[in-house]
Amino acid sequence: MVLTPAFNRGLLIAGLGICLAGFGGEQAAQARNHRALRGSVSVMGRPVANASITHWTTQGGTQPEKVKVVRSRNDGSFDLAFKPSKGTVHYLIASGGTVNNAKVDRLTMLTVLDETVNKTVNGTVAISERTTVGSVWPNAQQLKGDQLIGSRNALAIGSGHVKHLINPRTGAFGETLLNGFNLLSSETAARMNVLSNLLALCGDPQKAQACTQLFSLTEATNTLDAMTNIAKLPWKNTGKLYRLFDDNYPLGTNSDRRSEASLPYLIFQPESFALSIRLQGGGAFALGKLSFDQKGHLWSGANWIPGSQSGVVNSIGGGMSHFDQTGTAQSPAITGYNGQGLDGVGWGTGISKNYAWVGTFNNKVGVFDLKDGRALGPATIDQDVGQLQGIATSKNGDVWIADNTGNHMIHFPGGDFRQGERISIAGLQAPFGVATDDQNRIWVSSSFNNKLTVIEGDSPDQYNTVTVALGARGLAIDSKGNAWLSQQSNSPTGALPPGAVMPPGTPNPPQQPKTIMEEFEAGAAFAAANPTLQTLGNLALISPDLEIIKNGVAGEVAFVPWGVTIDGNDNVWVGNLYGQSLIHICGTEPSTCPEGKTTGDVIHNYQSGVIQVTTDVVVDDAGNIWSANNWYDADVVINKSYNPRTSTFPGGQGLVVTYGVAGPVQNPLFGAVRKPNP
C-alpha cells in the first residue's frame, strides 16, 4: 500500500489523539485543519470512567453547537479534536460515568477553554470539580444548563477569565489566583476548594444522601446547575452549604486537619461563596472611575504612578490604564498610556464612540484612540478650566465633563475633542458625578452643596435642581429613567451621625477647597477624627420627573458611598469607599430581586481582602462586577513624613473582578443602562 503525503499527515494527527480510520479524502482534509486535545476526567483525584464528554462550540448571539461526544476510558482519559476559529468558544461537559465501578449519574462537570485553544497544536485539558468551579463563575450569567449563550463580548470575557481561577490544561489553580496579591489576600482559593468538595459529593457513591442535600439547597438536579445557581446568588444558603461541607469532610481523629478536604479550605463559614480576583499591571494604581468600551475592554485613569511615594499631600500623577476582555493589561507598566502631559486622573474616565477620555488634576482632558491607546489630545477647550472629575457620553455622542474646581461643565458636541466649550451653570459647586439619560438630559452631582442639577442637553442654559443630601458623588440611570445617587452625608445640611465630630478647626459644612487633593485630604482627616464611625451616607432614588422616590437607602451599611452602577436586571451596585465593599441593592424592578426584597433593600454587601478603599463599580457584558481600588493605606495617603516600609502604600492596588453576580449589560454606557444585544 502506498501512503500519500496527505494521508501521512493524517496519520501524524491521529498519533496525537485523533482517530482517522476510515476517513475519505475530504474527511482527511478537514481533519488536517483540526488540532488534537488529550483530556482526562477526574473527581477528587479519582478517574471517572465511561463519562460522556460533549464538545460544544458557541459564538455570540447563536445557539451552541454540539461537535462530538466521546467516552472516557477506565483511567478517565479521552481524545478529541477541535477546529480553531476566531470568535468561537469551545467548552467540554462531562456527564455521568463510574467512579470505582459505581455509577455517578448526577455528576456533571465543565471546562471552558480560552483563546489559547486556537494556538494549541497538541493540547491537554482537565475536567474536574475544580475546573467546573473555575469555569462556571466567570460564565455564570451565560450558562443555561449545558448551553453557554451570550453576546460576543460576554463569551470572550467569560472564557478569557477562566484562566485567572484555574488552569484548564492541568486542573490546578490559575496563575493570577496563585500570585501574592490574590492567594494571600482573599478567601478565593479556599472558597473554590470548598465549592469543589461540595460538587465532589456527587462523585462519591458513598455520599449519595449528601449529594441530594446539595441539590435541595441549590434547587438543581446535577452538579453543573448546582454550581451555576450558587455563582449567581453566592450569599444564598451559605451557612447550610458550609455545614454540608463541614459534615462530610470532618476533622480526623485527634487531628486539626480535614484529611479528605482539598487544601486550603475554609476554617470559618464565609459570608458568601462569591469569587473575586485582583488584576494588576498597566499602570493600574489608585484608579478612580472605570469604563468599558464597545469591545468589552476596561479603561481607567490612575491618581498616581505605581511605585511612587504619592498621596494627597505630594503626588506623581498617573495616566490611563487599559485591560482587554481577558483582564490582561494592555497599557504600559507604571505609566499607563499618556503622551499628553497628563499628571494624575481623578474620577474622570469615559468612553465615546471612538475615544477614551480622562479628566486630570492638571487641568487637561486626555483623549486616547480606543484601537491602540494612541494619544490624540489633550482636548481643545475654548476657555480655561480647573481640575476635572466625572465624564459621561450622551446617546447622541456628546461628551460632558465636570470641571470640579472651576464649577463649570465642559461640553464636546458630537464627541469632537477639538471643539470643547465651557458652560457656566448657576448652582454647581464642585460638580463631580455625571450621567446621561435617554432624554438627553445631563445629571450632575455637586460634592459641596445639596443640589443635583439636571441639564437639558439640547439647551444647556435650561436646567432644574433637586435638593438632596449634602455631598453627593456618583450617580447612575436605570432603564426606566430613574436616577440613583450616592450621598456622603445623611441630610441636606450635612448633619453628622450620633457621636461623629468634625476635625479641629473645620467648619460644618466645610468650605470648598481649591484642589481635589485638598478635598480628599479633608475627607481622610474626617475619617481619622472618627475612628469608630462605621456608617455615613446613603443613596437616594429620584424619578425621571425629579421627585425623590426613596431616600436613606443602604444607610445601614453605607460608609461614604461613591460610585454607582445599574446592572441588566435594573439592580443597583455601589462602591462603598470607607466600607471597602460592594453593596448590591434591589432596584426598581423587584421581580428580578431575591424573594422578600423590594426596591431599596440591600441584597448583599460583598467584602474581600482584595477589595480596598473603593471608588467605583461597573458591570461588564458578561455580568461580572469590576471595582476600583483607589486607596490602600489611608494613613499613608495623608502622611507628610517618611516611612521606608510604607511610603509606597497609599494607592489602591489594581482593580477587582467579582464573578457572575450581576445582570449583564451592553457597553459602553451611552444614556440609561441597556441589556446586552445578542
Side-chain angles (χ1 to χ4, degrees):
M1 178 180 179
V2 178
L3 300 180
T4 65
F7 196 69
N8 273 321
R9 287 193 295 273
L11 286 177
L12 175 61
I13 296 175
L16 297 176
I18 305 175
C19 180
L20 299 179
F23 271 29
E26 182 179 350
Q27 290 172 304
Q30 291 175 348
R32 288 196 299 273
N33 295 324
H34 287 66
R35 294 174 183 172
L37 198 64
R38 172 62 59 87
S40 64
V41 189
S42 65
V43 59
M44 294 296 282
R46 298 185 293 270
V48 182
N50 201 36
S52 172
I53 296 100
T54 306
H55 175 194
W56 294 86
T57 60
T58 185
Q59 294 180 318
T62 65
Q63 294 292 317
E65 293 185 7
K66 186 182 295 185
V67 179
K68 191 176 182 64
V69 180
V70 299
R71 290 279 177 179
S72 61
R73 305 181 184 93
N74 289 339
D75 63 354
S77 65
F78 63 90
D79 296 308
L80 278 174
F82 62 89
K83 183 178 181 179
S85 177
K86 187 175 182 180
T88 298
V89 173
H90 298 255
Y91 65 99
L92 307 176
I93 292 180
S95 302
T98 62
V99 175
N100 295 335
N101 297 317
K103 289 185 177 181
V104 287
D105 293 339
R106 295 185 290 178
L107 183 67
T108 305
M109 298 188 292
L110 169 71
T111 298
V112 175
L113 304 176
D114 63 13
E115 79 286 348
T116 59
V117 73
N118 292 330
K119 304 172 185 177
T120 303
V121 176
N122 182 22
T124 61
V125 63
I127 307 176
S128 68
E129 68 277 13
R130 185 180 285 156
T131 70
T132 305
V133 172
S135 295
V136 164
W137 260 248
N139 293 284
Q141 295 291 333
Q142 278 62 246
L143 277 168
K144 310 291 187 294
D146 60 4
Q147 304 288 286
L148 185 59
I149 305 173
S151 67
R152 180 171 183 141
N153 281 355
L155 295 174
I157 292 168
S159 62
H161 277 257
V162 169
K163 66 183 180 184
H164 297 305
L165 295 172
I166 54 106
N167 182 333
R169 284 143 201 83
T170 65
F173 286 128
E175 289 186 10
T176 308
L177 177 54
L178 291 176
N179 70 37
F181 288 110
N182 285 288
L183 185 63
L184 306 182
S185 300
S186 77
E187 297 174 4
T188 297
R191 289 185 184 186
M192 285 184 66
N193 275 346
V194 170
L195 290 162
S196 298
N197 290 172
L198 286 171
L199 185 158
L201 295 172
C202 299
D204 186 344
Q206 304 301 315
K207 295 182 177 178
Q209 184 176 355
C211 177
T212 299
Q213 288 179 266
L214 174 65
F215 292 161
S216 176
L217 291 171
T218 57
E219 301 176 12
T221 57
N222 65 67
T223 52
L224 177 56
D225 288 346
M227 292 299 111
T228 302
N229 292 345
I230 296 173
K232 291 178 179 178
L233 304 174
W235 41 263
K236 185 176 181 180
N237 289 327
T238 300
K240 293 178 180 178
L241 287 167
Y242 183 76
R243 285 193 292 276
L244 184 61
F245 164 78
D246 189 36
D247 291 342
N248 286 277
Y249 298 91
L251 293 172
T253 305
N254 298 322
S255 172
D256 289 332
R257 177 174 290 189
R258 303 175 192 272
S259 58
E260 296 183 18
S262 301
L263 294 171
Y265 52 75
L266 295 169
I267 294 176
F268 303 104
Q269 176 185 313
E271 292 187 343
S272 79
F273 282 107
L275 302 181
S276 297
I277 283 287
R278 185 190 302 168
L279 301 175
Q280 301 278 127
F285 185 69
L287 298 180
K289 186 78 182 71
L290 308 176
S291 295
F292 281 105
D293 67 15
Q294 292 86 339
K295 294 182 179 179
H297 289 211
L298 188 284
W299 300 75
S300 183
N303 290 178
W304 306 310
I305 283 181
S308 66
Q309 298 171 322
S310 297
V312 295
V313 177
N314 301 294
S315 66
I316 303 173
M320 173 74 96
S321 294
H322 172 205
F323 290 76
D324 70 8
Q325 294 165 323
T326 73
T328 303
Q330 302 299 296
S331 45
I334 302 181
T335 61
Y337 296 136
N338 202 312
Q340 300 168 76
L342 313 181
D343 189 12
V345 181
W347 208 71
T349 302
I351 299 294
S352 64
K353 182 178 179 180
N354 298 310
Y355 312 128
W357 305 67
V358 288
T360 73
F361 296 145
N362 63 328
N363 317 82
K364 294 183 180 181
V365 174
V367 185
F368 302 88
D369 192 317
L370 288 177
K371 295 178 182 178
D372 54 15
R374 180 167 51 94
L376 302 173
T380 303
I381 305 168
D382 61 358
Q383 300 178 66
D384 291 339
V385 297
Q387 298 183 346
L388 309 172
Q389 291 285 24
I391 300 176
T393 301
S394 299
K395 292 185 73 173
N396 67 1
D398 291 359
V399 173
W400 296 83
I401 302 179
D403 181 349
N404 181 263
T405 59
N407 298 325
H408 303 105
M409 292 298 294
I410 307 169
H411 180 210
F412 294 89
D416 186 344
F417 63 86
R418 295 156 297 192
Q419 300 294 325
E421 46 191 36
R422 195 186 79 182
I423 299 175
S424 297
I425 296 174
L428 289 181
Q429 190 174 0
F432 193 88
V434 185
T436 63
D437 65 17
D438 290 345
Q439 300 179 51
N440 197 28
R441 296 186 299 182
I442 320 305
W443 298 64
V444 185
S445 65
S446 286
S447 59
F448 269 86
N449 68 14
N450 57 9
K451 300 299 179 183
L452 173 66
T453 304
V454 183
I455 305 164
E456 297 294 332
D458 295 327
S459 303
D461 59 333
Q462 299 180 29
Y463 55 89
N464 293 286
T465 61
V466 182
T467 299
V468 295
L470 183 72
R473 293 293 185 185
L475 71 161
I477 312 296
D478 68 19
S479 68
K480 299 177 182 179
N482 301 295
W484 291 83
L485 175 71
S486 65
Q487 306 172 120
Q488 294 193 337
S489 69
N490 299 327
S491 74
T493 60
L496 297 177
V501 298
M502 295 298 292
T506 304
N508 187 30
Q511 299 301 305
Q512 181 181 350
K514 294 181 180 180
T515 71
I516 292 171
M517 284 302 174
E518 286 179 359
E519 179 184 349
F520 291 164
E521 183 177 3
F526 175 83
N530 296 274
T532 62
L533 193 63
Q534 296 184 344
T535 60
L536 178 65
N538 52 66
L539 278 84
L541 169 60
I542 302 160
S543 76
D545 298 327
L546 310 189
E547 298 291 333
I548 294 180
I549 299 173
K550 202 175 185 74
N551 215 330
V553 174
E556 69 273 25
V557 294
F559 191 9
V560 190
W562 207 275
V564 184
T565 198
I566 313 295
D567 70 17
N569 295 325
D570 260 348
N571 286 328
V572 183
W573 295 81
V574 185
N576 196 24
L577 187 83
Y578 285 143
Q580 300 186 51
S581 65
L582 317 177
I583 307 173
H584 186 191
I585 299 168
C586 179
T588 55
E589 190 55 62
S591 64
T592 67
C593 301
E595 185 177 355
K597 297 291 184 180
T598 191
T599 300
D601 289 348
V602 173
I603 295 173
H604 190 68
N605 188 31
Y606 290 84
Q607 294 180 298
S608 171
V610 294
I611 298 173
Q612 298 170 349
V613 177
T614 300
T615 49
D616 199 29
V617 288
V618 290
V619 187
D620 68 24
D621 300 62
N624 306 308
I625 285 286
W626 297 59
S627 54
N629 284 339
N630 189 244
W631 290 356
Y632 172 40
D633 189 325
D635 291 336
V636 182
V637 166
I638 59 173
N639 193 4
K640 300 179 182 179
S641 61
Y642 172 63
N643 183 325
R645 192 182 68 82
T646 62
S647 67
T648 59
F649 280 17
Q653 299 163 333
L655 63 159
V656 177
V657 189
T658 301
Y659 290 116
V661 292
V665 303
Q666 182 180 342
N667 283 302
L669 187 63
F670 299 155
V673 67
R674 299 169 291 168
K675 289 181 178 291
N677 287 332

